[in-house]
Amino acid sequence: MSLPKGLAEDVARNLVMVADLIDEDPEQAYAYSRIALRLASRVAAVREAAGFAAYATQKYSEALAEFRAARRMTGGVELWPVMADCERGLGRPERALAMAGEPEVQKLDKAGQVEMRLVAAGARRDMEQLEAAIVTLQSPELASSAVHPWTARLRYAYADALLAAGREAEAREWFAKALEADKDGATDASDRLAEMDGVEFVDAIDEDEDEDADRGSDVVDDDADADDVDVDVADEAGHGDEDLDERDDRD
């Protein structure tokens, strides 16, 4: 659907703001998505952006409705995994698992299929089926040494499932593998490894603040000492005046 030039520019500006803010300020991104939605609700890209903004703010019912609308407009399957994850967010992991077995999954590209596998494993964990979640994540993509944009997240999910199942040695190995593949810091694998190894990090900023506070207290103590000296001098001066007064009286 084409829009008049002025309207198209307004919609585009709002969509840019959604993209810029969705990670740092999802609530603000959601507000911009609602503006774009009011301006052009029949544009698939607007419905998709509104869906992701709602998803980022955990408005899963609203997100699912927007994703379904976008899918009807385009006929594509790219949103299938995130739609399934919305079902999880709504407390319906069984529905997410059912979606993982539907024909749409076979039409996804490799990244989409991996994403669907992650959602299915998450649904298994929602249902407290830890071993089934582990098996769900075991795949050629997990075993491959090649690194793709989704590799770190897949390895991390596998490590996390292993740890939840009490398989700590294996979990540590896969957290390390996730860290190797995580060039963009998409996971907190380094923190999880440190936690497992019992490593504690001290915030250097806090240390600096403590040192500044100590220096400040030293200055206060010095000032207090100076005040004591001034008082002593004043007392001595006062005693000197008294001695003069006594001599004057004797004279």
Side-chain angles (χ1 to χ4, degrees), residues 77-78 80-82 84-85 88 100 104-123 133 136-144 146-158:
V77 297
E78 295 80 9
W80 196 252
V82 72
D85 206 38
R88 285 186 61 212
E104 284 82 355
V105 176
Q106 302 306 315
K107 300 176 184 178
L108 293 167
D109 61 13
K110 182 60 68 177
Q113 290 179 4
V114 170
E115 196 66 35
M116 193 71 242
R117 190 177 292 276
L118 288 168
V119 172
T136 298
L137 292 168
Q138 291 171 346
S139 61
E141 293 81 15
L142 180 68
S144 175
V147 175
H148 301 279
W150 37 261
T151 300
R153 292 177 56 239
L154 180 59
R155 293 176 179 179
Y156 182 94
Y158 188 59

Side-chain angles (χ1 to χ4, degrees), residues 10-236:
D10 288 342
V11 171
R13 279 194 292 269
N14 282 283
L15 293 183
V16 167
M17 294 304 297
V18 172
D20 287 346
L21 293 170
I22 197 164
D23 291 329
E24 301 296 329
D25 191 348
E27 289 291 346
Q28 193 63 37
Y30 175 77
Y32 279 107
S33 77
R34 300 308 295 176
I35 296 172
L37 197 57
R38 286 198 298 271
L39 294 173
S41 62
R42 296 184 180 182
V43 175
V46 171
R47 303 304 289 265
E48 183 175 331
F52 277 110
Y55 178 81
T57 53
Q58 300 183 0
K59 298 177 175 66
Y60 298 117
S61 181
E62 186 176 325
L64 185 56
E66 297 300 341
F67 289 142
R68 284 173 174 167
R71 183 167 178 267
R72 284 195 301 270
M73 293 175 182
T74 64
V77 297
E78 295 80 9
L79 296 172
W80 196 252
V82 72
M83 289 169 62
D85 206 38
C86 285
E87 295 287 1
R88 285 186 61 212
L90 291 168
R92 302 192 293 245
E94 298 88 351
R95 177 57 186 152
L97 282 176
M99 292 179 68
E102 293 184 16
E104 284 82 355
V105 176
Q106 302 306 315
K107 300 176 184 178
L108 293 167
D109 61 13
K110 182 60 68 177
Q113 290 179 4
V114 170
E115 196 66 35
M116 193 71 242
R117 190 177 292 276
L118 288 168
V119 172
R124 290 292 187 187
R125 293 191 63 173
D126 292 342
M127 299 165 67
E128 299 184 356
Q129 299 174 0
L130 281 176
E131 290 301 326
I134 290 170
V135 172
T136 298
L137 292 168
Q138 291 171 346
S139 61
E141 293 81 15
L142 180 68
S144 175
S145 60
V147 175
H148 301 279
W150 37 261
T151 300
R153 292 177 56 239
L154 180 59
R155 293 176 179 179
Y156 182 94
Y158 188 59
D160 195 46
L162 289 169
L163 185 61
R167 296 160 62 174
E168 294 188 6
E170 295 172 87
R172 194 196 181 287
E173 176 187 353
W174 281 97
F175 276 129
K177 290 182 178 181
L179 182 59
E180 289 176 3
D182 194 358
K183 306 304 181 184
D184 300 323
T187 73
D188 63 347
S190 60
D191 292 340
R192 299 297 296 276
L193 278 171
E195 183 181 348
M196 293 186 72
D197 292 341
V199 177
E200 294 185 6
F201 295 101
V202 177
D203 195 330
I205 295 177
D206 291 342
E207 283 189 345
D208 292 342
E209 290 176 351
D210 290 341
E211 290 177 1
D212 291 341
D214 290 340
R215 284 197 294 270
S217 61
D218 291 342
V219 172
V220 171
D221 291 341
D222 290 343
D223 290 342
D225 292 341
D227 291 341
D228 291 341
V229 171
D230 292 341
V231 170
D232 292 340
V233 171
D235 288 343
E236 290 177 2

